[in-house]
Amino acid sequence: IPMKRIMMRQMKDRQTGVIRTIRADGEMGQRLREMGLVPGTEIKIRGRAPLYDPVALQVMGFTLTLRNNEADHIEVDVAGEGER
């Protein structure tokens, strides 16, 4: 299955992916890593609020919510088009 790299904000509901890079420095980068969002971690989009912010995702068996401006800093590998 070909993989493509996108930003977490672009993921669709129920789509899964693997975190590749956290592009946030300082306090935000540290906070994201403390939440378990580190390269190699598999995530699944659980859903979004009515205005698409925040986004709920499943990580290691628990649910996290992130604002879009946080999701914009997380690069994810997802299955190519047509795969979900």
Side-chain angles (χ1 to χ4, degrees), residues 1-69:
I1 300 170
M3 300 300 275
K4 73 176 183 178
R5 192 161 291 183
I6 61 174
M7 299 314 280
M8 185 185 287
R9 184 199 280 232
Q10 299 168 306
M11 292 177 73
K12 298 171 177 56
D13 284 358
R14 293 179 300 286
Q15 188 173 26
T16 59
V18 177
I19 295 174
R20 279 299 150 228
T21 312
I22 306 289
R23 294 181 173 267
D25 297 319
E27 205 172 294
M28 184 187 290
Q30 181 179 347
R31 201 166 70 83
L32 293 172
R33 288 177 187 88
E34 286 171 355
M35 289 191 283
L37 301 174
V38 294
T41 303
E42 186 172 296
I43 59 163
K44 179 176 184 174
I45 301 298
R46 295 282 305 265
R48 295 174 189 274
L51 298 176
Y52 297 102
D53 197 15
V55 57
L57 48 126
Q58 188 161 354
V59 183
M60 297 180 292
F62 61 94
T63 301
L64 278 178
T65 55
L66 287 184
R67 299 193 68 80
N68 280 330
N69 67 340

Side-chain angles (χ1 to χ4, degrees), residues 64-79:
L64 278 178
T65 55
L66 287 184
R67 299 193 68 80
N68 280 330
N69 67 340
E70 295 167 322
D72 281 341
H73 295 282
I74 302 172
E75 218 172 22
V76 183
D77 282 342
V78 295

